[in-house]
Amino acid sequence: MSSTAPLQQRQASQALMVAIVATLALYWLPYVNVLSWPLLLLSTLMHELGHGLTAMLLGGKFQAMTMWADGSGVASHRGNFGAFARATVSAGGLIGPPLAALGLFLAGRRSRSAHAALALFSVFLLLVTLLWASGAFTVLFCLALATLLALLAWKASPAVSQIVCVFLAVQLALSSFSRSDYLFTAVAQTGSGSMPSDVGQIAEALWLPYWFWGGLIAALSLAILGYGAWRFARSLG
């Protein structure tokens, strides 16, 4: 074992403990829970980006992404998609937050990689703002988050960046379960009105009822998060 391994393990353990304490404070202390709102919006952002980026990977065009203050959002895209591709794009949004949590867990194993991850995340959000953000609220949220992450990457120590990275990973992981009721509803309520939910759209494109696909995606999300948690736990020694 290298001489730096014990230090890396201690830093990862400290980051996880601070993230857990901060999470408990977020949900239990008065006034602190106001911070849960931007974290809800972060989950929505990852969800809508999951839709749009999946459409791009399948050869389509990611046109725009809109978010509303109530935590709802919609991503518009176009492409010559068959039934399976349409279902995959719908599923892409649902596994967006778990995949983002996985990436942050992996980056959070080391302080230097966490520091770099926040910088890259900031640059990515600037690109999202320029290319796909639609509406003043969406633009302002993306810019505010990009600015905050850029300041952390510039001014904060790698140890602080590691704590932030692990904290965000934990929040995105929790959001996958706190919003899991969406996996078992056929209709979604958004800022632009009612529309078929993602699992409802999967059911329309393929076979079997929406709740079957909701259960399958819940299992996939759990597997993704479990893998991320396992990889992070290995860094603790």
Side-chain angles (χ1 to χ4, degrees):
M1 181 179 295
S2 67
S3 60
T4 59
L7 175 61
Q8 292 173 344
Q9 292 171 1
R10 185 167 63 253
Q11 289 174 334
S13 299
Q14 290 172 346
L16 179 61
M17 289 302 300
V18 173
I20 291 173
V21 171
T23 299
L24 292 174
L26 186 66
Y27 290 97
W28 290 99
L29 292 183
Y31 307 111
V32 177
N33 58 9
V34 69
L35 296 176
S36 62
W37 180 63
L39 294 171
L40 170 68
L41 296 176
L42 174 63
S43 173
T44 300
L45 175 63
M46 295 299 102
H47 180 103
E48 302 309 333
L49 286 174
H51 285 310
L53 295 177
T54 301
M56 287 181 62
L57 288 173
L58 294 175
K61 180 177 176 60
F62 185 5
Q63 294 176 299
M65 175 191 66
T66 304
M67 297 167 53
W68 290 278
D70 63 357
S72 62
V74 64
S76 58
H77 53 82
R78 60 181 174 86
N80 187 21
F81 295 140
F84 183 78
R86 292 198 306 272
T88 302
V89 172
S90 295
L94 296 170
I95 63 171
L99 285 175
L102 169 61
L104 290 169
F105 271 128
L106 294 178
R109 294 177 298 169
R110 303 286 185 271
S111 59
R112 290 182 181 274
S113 59
H115 205 57
L118 295 187
L120 290 173
F121 197 2
S122 175
V123 173
F124 174 66
L125 287 173
L126 288 176
L127 291 175
V128 168
T129 305
L130 292 172
L131 296 175
W132 303 305
S134 175
F137 181 80
T138 310
V139 170
L140 287 174
F141 177 74
C142 290
L143 284 178
L145 184 56
T147 301
L148 176 61
L149 294 176
L151 286 173
L152 286 169
W154 180 34
K155 291 291 188 179
S157 67
V160 171
S161 293
Q162 187 174 22
I163 292 171
V164 173
C165 197
V166 175
F167 174 75
L168 292 179
V170 170
Q171 301 315 306
L172 286 170
L174 289 175
S175 74
S176 301
F177 297 100
S178 65
R179 306 178 79 176
S180 61
D181 57 332
Y182 180 64
L183 293 173
F184 301 97
T185 181
V187 178
Q189 302 295 332
T190 73
S192 62
S194 300
M195 61 180 63
S197 68
D198 292 325
V199 289
Q201 294 179 52
I202 296 173
E204 289 177 4
L206 301 178
W207 308 276
L208 302 175
Y210 66 87
W211 50 262
F212 171 84
W213 298 110
L216 187 63
I217 291 171
L220 177 59
S221 298
L222 185 61
I224 292 170
L225 293 171
Y227 177 71
W230 174 71
R231 290 293 302 273
F232 184 84
R234 290 189 63 187
S235 69
L236 303 180

